[in-house]
Amino acid sequence: MNRTKIAVIGGGPAGLAAAIEAKKAGTDSILVLERDRCLGGILNQCIHNGFGLHTFKEELTGPEYAQRFIDQAQELEIPCRLGTMVMSIAMAEDGSGDKIVTYLNREEGLVQLRAEAVILAMGCRERPRGALSIPGFRPAGIYTAGTAQKLVNINGFMPGRSVVILGSGDIGLIMARRMTLEGAKVQVVAELMPYSGGLKRNIVQCLDDFGIPLKLSHTVVDIEGKERVKAVTIARVDERSKPIPGTEERYECDTLLLSCGLLPENELTSALGAVISPVTRGPEVNESLETSVPGVFACGNVLHVHDLVDFVSQEAGQAGRNAARYVQGAAAKSSEGDIRVTAENGVRYTVPEIINPARMEDTVTLRFRVGAVYQNIYESVYLNGERILHRKKKIAAPGEMETIVLKKESFEQVKDLKSITVRLEEE
């Protein structure tokens, strides 16, 4: 059986950043497994700019950003297996704590790999039409926004010329601009929620700058056409997300793009037995980004969906360093002292979900999303009911991730710590 210290599942921005930091932390035996024919993941089809402002202090396209990490991985001589599909991850039966990774590719066939630690970096996928319960026929011309992006940017194929977009996630907003630049007419972007799911800058740059209307609290109620989409009808919805009769608007079009959310790719994670968060759909992790399975770490969009790839890289680097510490025997493996972070009063979830002050480094980065749009709100953190952080935010929205950095010394000053709470407050 093949062996490695750390197996990284996924060769996108998260997997590469994790592998690079693990190598820099002193672990030489690392193997990256990527199912695509090239490294870089989804960034290869994201040809627009806006990447790298936090990481490299300059504006890059998706392929340029990915290439920076590909170059670093090659300089560090980190081995990668391309065209390789991971079939399963399981705990070794000999009680060693090793993980058995089974993968498949053309060159090697079916291979079992024994790894001391595994970093999950499989990314996410789009929510398909079947999960949306949209009424109407099933004609040609209905695509997820990511599929349309690949067709236009990679294959050079225009999926349609008259477009309606359902959902205001960042990919949908970016494709509204992209399709317009390629000569298509984007008639409307309909969003079920009373707020956009994308970044404010994308609403301005991709919709407002091109005169594309965004209709909040609207959804698709009918699709016309049997062979090809001929028209789409949208309607306003009430507070229970039910269409309101009499508010229908019909748009003649040949294409419907769906941008209705992303789901972490966690089939492997679930089969391994890791605890999955019902909110993020990713694994629950502690301050080291370690899942409930010892020695298995998670980062990037497989953990929770990010809005900026720069944050993915930062998070993945932390996972790589902690995985290296784990295989080097420098990481504390006891769960004694674990404290679950409670998210309440407008905070939907936090990552990490568990913090152990005895294990944490000098700081821990807490990322979370809010459940609605709030103005002039305070983000607060409590330890044992005592507030240690109270930060004002002019606007907090579900489409933009919030980040708080907590210092270890704050935890050390609290005797017999029992609770950690993150909440929104009006004053």
Side-chain angles (χ1 to χ4, degrees):
M1 184 180 294
N2 295 341
R3 291 178 175 271
T4 187
K5 290 283 188 180
I6 299 176
V8 181
I9 317 300
L16 290 173
I20 289 166
E21 289 302 317
K23 185 68 178 285
K24 289 180 178 179
T27 300
D28 290 327
S29 181
I30 303 170
L31 179 62
V32 177
L33 304 172
E34 167 57 46
R35 67 183 177 186
D36 208 344
R37 294 175 296 175
C38 58
L39 296 171
I42 199 67
L43 290 185
N44 290 319
Q45 68 184 53
C46 300
I47 64 174
H48 54 279
N49 59 7
F51 301 91
L53 291 172
H54 295 269
T55 305
F56 299 110
K57 309 304 179 186
E58 59 180 305
E59 196 170 35
L60 306 171
T61 64
E64 287 173 333
Y65 185 93
Q67 193 62 47
R68 297 283 179 97
F69 287 91
I70 294 171
D71 292 343
Q72 290 183 56
Q74 291 175 344
E75 289 173 6
L76 293 171
E77 298 182 345
I78 298 173
C80 302
R81 297 275 193 278
L82 301 179
T84 298
M85 176 67 73
V86 175
M87 311 301 291
S88 67
I89 308 170
M91 297 298 295
E93 296 180 356
D94 57 9
S96 63
D98 289 351
K99 274 60 70 175
I100 307 301
V101 179
T102 303
Y103 66 84
L104 180 70
N105 60 35
R106 284 187 174 185
E107 293 74 25
E108 300 172 278
L110 189 66
V111 178
Q112 284 194 321
L113 174 71
R114 179 182 284 264
E116 295 181 27
V118 171
I119 300 176
L120 305 173
M122 295 90 71
C124 60
R125 66 173 183 269
E126 295 178 280
R127 195 185 304 273
R129 175 183 175 172
L132 301 175
S133 301
I134 299 175
F137 293 104
R138 273 32 177 187
I142 303 175
Y143 303 87
T144 63
T147 299
Q149 186 182 59
K150 183 176 182 181
L151 289 172
V152 174
N153 294 345
I154 301 295
N155 303 112
F157 173 80
M158 276 291 285
R161 291 292 174 180
S162 183
V163 184
V164 169
I165 299 177
L166 174 61
S168 60
D170 287 313
I171 305 176
L173 298 176
I174 288 165
M175 281 311 295
R177 176 179 63 184
R178 188 78 180 98
M179 296 288 282
T180 301
L181 292 173
E182 289 297 329
K185 171 63 177 177
V186 179
Q187 302 197 53
V188 68
V189 175
E191 169 58 54
L192 178 67
M193 304 302 292
Y195 49 81
S196 171
L199 294 171
K200 179 64 176 179
R201 74 181 191 192
N202 284 335
I203 297 173
V204 173
Q205 295 174 2
C206 301
L207 299 188
D208 296 350
D209 288 357
F210 293 89
I212 301 171
L214 170 63
K215 294 193 176 246
L216 301 175
S217 299
H218 280 72
T219 192
V220 171
V221 295
D222 190 31
I223 300 172
E224 299 176 35
K226 291 186 177 180
E227 299 299 323
R228 176 83 190 195
V229 173
K230 291 184 178 180
V232 168
T233 301
I234 68 172
R236 178 177 290 276
V237 298
D238 58 23
E239 62 277 2
R240 295 177 300 170
S241 299
K242 301 296 182 183
I244 302 173
T247 63
E248 295 85 0
E249 298 176 64
R250 182 177 179 273
Y251 294 88
E252 293 187 358
C253 60
D254 59 17
T255 304
L256 173 64
L257 299 188
L258 306 176
S259 180
C260 302
L262 301 170
L263 301 173
E265 286 272 20
N266 270 304
E267 287 73 18
L268 291 173
T269 315
S270 298
L272 180 59
V275 176
I276 301 295
S277 166
V279 182
T280 66
R281 304 289 182 90
E284 292 189 352
V285 294
N286 61 23
E287 73 292 330
S288 300
L289 301 181
E290 185 179 23
T291 70
S292 60
V293 180
V296 177
F297 300 80
C299 57
N301 285 347
V302 79
L303 178 56
H304 61 135
V305 177
H306 295 63
D307 39 78
L308 294 178
V309 72
D310 300 79
F311 295 157
V312 168
S313 301
Q314 293 172 13
E315 191 176 81
Q318 180 188 354
R321 291 188 296 272
N322 289 325
R325 291 178 62 217
Y326 180 89
V327 301
Q328 293 163 8
K333 297 181 173 61
S334 173
S335 61
E336 184 178 351
D338 284 1
I339 302 171
R340 177 167 289 275
V341 181
T342 301
E344 61 182 33
N345 198 35
V347 179
R348 293 187 61 235
Y349 71 86
T350 68
V351 172
E353 290 88 352
I354 295 170
I355 292 177
N356 190 324
R359 280 196 312 253
M360 67 179 286
E361 299 177 342
D362 291 338
T363 61
V364 61
T365 300
L366 204 63
R367 293 187 169 92
F368 64 92
R369 288 187 188 273
V370 298
V373 176
Y374 297 92
Q375 293 185 350
N376 297 318
I377 202 76
Y378 287 89
E379 298 170 345
S380 300
V381 178
Y382 287 81
L383 301 182
N384 279 3
E386 181 179 347
R387 192 165 65 192
I388 64 162
L389 185 143
H390 194 55
R391 184 179 70 183
K392 187 173 183 178
K393 287 280 294 187
K394 288 187 177 181
I395 297 178
E400 301 198 26
M401 186 181 297
E402 301 294 329
T403 301
I404 289 175
V405 178
L406 301 177
K407 297 180 180 180
K408 184 172 184 175
E409 60 187 40
S410 299
F411 292 89
E412 293 176 335
Q413 292 172 0
V414 180
K415 294 182 178 180
D416 194 25
L417 182 61
K418 298 293 185 183
S419 67
I420 305 170
T421 305
V422 182
R423 65 197 314 265
L424 300 182
E425 297 177 322
E426 293 183 356
E427 58 181 28

